[in-house]
């Protein structure tokens, strides 16, 4: 657990970067520090590995004040990933990854074996081991940065905008792989981003900072979307928070209508021989031989967000539910979905 206890930071020029910060980052979880630029996120992050010293207050790791720890030892136990990877340009990929283990005297052979293993873990091939950073794409360099931070197997990782220097498609891939990796590793991670979507997607917890280095809210992504603490957080989280919060709810509880609802009537669902949906026919729609595509179906393990999105984009305002084999087993109309979301909302507001 990383604990901030009454931490403030005033830089020598008088800038108040962080003000009276109290928060706890739970062990084994990923906590994202998010907020507009200049609100003290990086300053807070760097107080964890003592790159910045608090003006007042304490930062503790597992109850021990970092101020009293040997700086070099402390940093070996904290993997550090920065934007654009920050690799040494004149060292090969393997040499970059093994920077910390080499410092503590791991043999070259053992170090290389570990580095190659780590490369595979983060989705790189061992063929890249002896290349130089400039010979890798931005996304690949970022993976090397993550491998390097993991090389000494530190219990804690701090990550400063680790995925923001790559294009959106590469970023999504890196985020997804990183989540998978973290599920296995269970490190205690503090990550800084200015991107609220990234925070909600990756964080077990999200700490929203506001101007003046104040913590506006510390909550799970779900709580943040459902109950922003104030107007600042509500505004920062965005106008579509209601829609996005549906991604945390399962479609399993939805009531669906039987398929017989759409086997007669003006719009009809065409199924293949196995019962999988092929598309819609009817006025203004395709023929039985070439039906209008459904745009997708959902299973009971999908989220309410997906179902709502499908309902909005469906050519007939009807979404098909399928079982694990892709066989249609029910439908839900746009209007019924909205009613169900509304009664769910009422139950949440007034559980009695
Ligand atoms: P964020 O990471 O949220 O963008 P920072 O922690 O980098 O914010 O910065 C918080 C505030 O402290 C900003 O106003 C920034 O200009 C200021 N600041 C950061 N580092 C220094 C420094 N070394 N000296 C003076 N002011 C600084």
């Amino acid at each position: 657990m990383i604990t901030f206890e009454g931490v403030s930071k005033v830089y020598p020029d008088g800038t108040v970067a962080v003000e009276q910060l109290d928060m706890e980052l739970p062990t084994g979880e990923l906590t994202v520090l998010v907020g507009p630029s200049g609100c003290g996120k990086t300053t807070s992050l760097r107080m964890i590995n003592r790159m910045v010293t608090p003006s007042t207050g304490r930062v503790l790791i597992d109850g021990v004040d970092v101020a009293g720890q040997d700086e070099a030892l402390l940093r070996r136990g904290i993997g550090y990933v920065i934007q654009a990877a920050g690799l040494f340009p004149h060292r090969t990929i393997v040499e970059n990854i093994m920077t910390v283990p080499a410092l503590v005297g791991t043999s070259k052979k053992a170090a290389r074996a570990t580095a190659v293993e780590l490369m595979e873990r983060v989705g790189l091939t061992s063929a890249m081991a002896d290349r130089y950073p400039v010979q890798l794409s931005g996304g690949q360099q970022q993976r090397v940065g993550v491998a390097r931070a993991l090389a000494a197997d530190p219990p804690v990782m701090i990550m400063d905008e680790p995925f923001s220097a790559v294009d959106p498609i590469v970023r999504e891939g890196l985020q997804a792989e990183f989540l998978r990796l973290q599920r296995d590793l269970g490190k205690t991670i503090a990550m800084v981003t200015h991107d609220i979507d990234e925070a909600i997607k990756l964080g077990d917890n999200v700490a929203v900072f506001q101007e003046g280095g104040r913590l506006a809210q510390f909550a799970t992504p779900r709580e943040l979307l459902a109950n922003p603490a104030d107007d600042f957080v509500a505004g920062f989280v965005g106008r579509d928070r209601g829609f996005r919060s549906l991604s945390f709810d399962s479609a399993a509880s939805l009531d669906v209508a039987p398929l017989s609802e759409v086997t007669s009537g003006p719009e009809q669902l065409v199924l293949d021989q196995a019962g999988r949906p092929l598309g819609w026919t009817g006025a203004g729609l395709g023929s039985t031989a070439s039906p209008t595509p459904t745009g997708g179906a959902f299973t009971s393990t999908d989220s309410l967000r997906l179902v709502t999105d499908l309902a909005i984009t469906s050519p007939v305002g009807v979404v098909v539910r399928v079982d694990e084999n892709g066989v249609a087993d029910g439908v839900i109309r746009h209007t019924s979905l909205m009613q169900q979301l509304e009664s769910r909302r009422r139950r949440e507001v007034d559980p009695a």
Side-chain angles (χ1 to χ4, degrees), residues 11 13 15 17 36-43:
Y11 283 110
D13 66 358
T15 306
S37 174
C39 62
K41 306 180 296 291
T42 297
T43 299

Side-chain angles (χ1 to χ4, degrees), residues 146-166:
V146 172
R148 180 175 62 179
L150 291 171
D153 196 21
V156 173
M157 282 180 58
I158 60 176
M159 310 180 81
D160 197 347
E161 302 261 4
F163 307 126
S164 56
V166 291

Side-chain angles (χ1 to χ4, degrees), residues 9-18 34-46 52 160-161 192-194 209 213:
K9 177 67 189 180
V10 186
Y11 283 110
D13 66 358
T15 306
V16 179
V18 177
V34 69
S37 174
C39 62
K41 306 180 296 291
T42 297
T43 299
S44 302
L45 191 78
R46 291 183 172 178
V52 172
D160 197 347
E161 302 261 4
V192 163
T193 180
H194 60 273
F209 282 66

Side-chain angles (χ1 to χ4, degrees), residues 271-278 323 325-328:
L271 303 170
D272 72 6
Q273 283 183 340
R276 290 180 294 241
L278 290 174
D323 66 14
N325 301 313
V327 173

Side-chain angles (χ1 to χ4, degrees), residues 330-346:
V331 289
I332 184 162
R333 284 188 192 279
H334 182 263
T335 41
S336 160
L337 176 63
M338 287 304 141
Q339 278 163 7
Q340 293 187 48
L341 292 181
E342 172 60 11
S343 45
R344 173 177 153 274
R345 188 187 67 79
R346 281 173 200 264

